[in-house]
Amino acid sequence: MKPIAFAALFTTLAAASVAHADGAAPVKLWRLDCGTIQVNNLDLFSDTFAYAGKKRQLTDSCYLIQHGADYMLWDTGLPAGLKGAAMSPDAPLSPTLTKTIDEQLAALKVDPKQIAQVGISHYHFDHTGQAADFPQAKLLIGKADFEALKTEPVPFGADPKALAHWLKDGAPSEQVIGDKDIYGDGSVTMLSMPGHTPGSYALLVRLAKKGPVLLSGDIVHFEEQFKANGVPSFNTNRAESLASMDRMQKIAKALKATLVVQHDANDIGKLPAFPASAE
Ligand SMILES: [Zn+2]
């Protein structure tokens, strides 16, 4: 490498590290309510019969991130059509919604058109439900999940129609391989954690005051799964699932991060209650 090119590279790296250290672009994180799922057959969430005969209520959360003037969503929850749906006492999975993302953005005075990027942890219907409400946004999704949505039969739990705008119509998307530093300053990073689906991701958000926050995607659905090595029977790869659970716990420990399991109702209190944000 020529000395001048090397100097330019060094300057670029130095600028990136300074921007990170100073938190030059302020970052805020809001937890949005994107639904509730009554699980009447929790046995689905272990392939070793650890939860046979048990029930559990899962929360369905999604997140708004502000980075400088840019807004990004992480996951888009259950479909808006489920608003007000009655919960079934015996269906294996019974989802419902009380507020749409648009309604929560309105409370924050954020226009849905301001959402520049939609990051999707994985292709399941309870994470992609309202994505079509943000057609101007660039979609960020694991390449393996994006490709799986085009296959027949449709993968378990997926609704390709929710992302048809990007899948069929070719709207701007980035199919992510490996980890992805979204803003180039280390503040918001998609972490590759396959196993639940082929292209599953978690999201690391580094906040100036709160510190690092690790949003789990569906690497687990509730905290106890870490201890029990609870791998849902519908995961696409058991070995990758266990490796991703291990990676998630080690990252949380190394960074002393706040680990928010997105479906665990007990983790809701780890972030400020809407409309407050973590900073
Ligand atoms: Zn899932």
Side-chain angles (χ1 to χ4, degrees):
M1 189 182 281
K2 289 181 188 164
I4 290 212
F6 182 77
L9 175 65
F10 181 79
T11 307
T12 307
L13 289 173
S17 70
V18 167
H20 183 194
D22 291 352
V27 180
K28 290 185 180 183
L29 172 66
W30 288 263
R31 182 191 181 281
L32 307 181
D33 176 0
C34 289
T36 303
I37 304 173
Q38 174 63 31
V39 182
N40 293 312
N41 179 10
L42 199 62
D43 198 27
L44 286 170
F45 290 86
S46 160
D47 62 2
T48 56
F49 308 101
Y51 311 122
K54 295 196 172 146
K55 300 183 176 208
R56 189 176 181 117
Q57 199 165 87
L58 300 178
T59 186
D60 195 331
S61 56
C62 46
Y63 300 84
L64 174 68
I65 296 152
Q66 184 179 11
H67 179 279
D70 191 275
Y71 284 99
M72 164 182 173
L73 287 171
W74 176 246
D75 282 337
T76 61
L78 290 165
L82 287 170
K83 190 175 170 184
M87 284 216 260
S88 158
D90 39 45
L93 295 169
S94 177
T96 190
L97 188 69
T98 54
K99 280 175 280 184
T100 66
I101 296 174
D102 277 0
E103 288 166 348
Q104 293 171 81
L105 292 180
L108 297 171
K109 297 191 166 51
V110 174
D111 187 322
K113 292 192 180 69
Q114 287 178 269
I115 304 297
Q117 301 181 94
V118 169
I120 294 291
S121 66
H122 66 295
Y123 57 51
H124 284 154
F125 78 102
D126 53 326
H127 295 258
T128 60
Q130 296 169 61
D133 291 341
F134 309 96
Q136 78 290 337
K138 179 173 147 189
L139 181 75
L140 300 171
I141 187 169
K143 180 174 173 59
D145 270 27
F146 194 80
E147 295 301 328
L149 282 171
K150 299 180 201 163
T151 60
E152 289 285 344
V154 168
F156 172 88
D159 177 13
K161 289 195 295 295
L163 300 180
H165 174 63
W166 294 273
L167 284 162
K168 283 191 185 160
D169 303 344
S173 69
E174 181 169 345
Q175 291 121 56
V176 182
I177 299 173
D179 294 350
K180 160 97 186 152
D181 179 352
I182 293 172
Y183 295 103
D185 61 2
S187 61
V188 185
T189 307
M190 286 173 72
L191 299 171
S192 173
M193 298 206 190
H196 180 59
T197 64
S200 274
Y201 275 80
L203 191 74
L204 176 65
V205 184
R206 293 176 183 263
L207 298 171
K209 291 184 196 154
K210 175 87 175 167
V213 176
L214 187 52
L215 303 174
S216 68
D218 277 5
I219 308 317
V220 293
H221 296 75
F222 40 95
E223 296 268 358
E224 292 92 319
Q225 285 180 298
F226 284 124
K227 277 185 213 135
N229 281 335
V231 176
S233 50
F234 58 89
N235 277 19
T236 54
N237 188 305
R238 183 170 219 278
E240 285 182 354
S241 297
L242 292 170
S244 292
M245 286 161 69
D246 181 59
R247 185 184 185 205
M248 176 161 284
Q249 290 174 95
K250 286 198 164 75
I251 289 173
K253 192 172 173 198
L255 298 180
K256 297 186 174 65
T258 301
L259 173 56
V260 177
V261 174
Q262 294 183 207
H263 279 303
D264 192 331
N266 295 323
D267 279 11
I268 290 175
K270 291 182 177 179
L271 290 173
F274 185 87
S277 62
E279 294 177 32

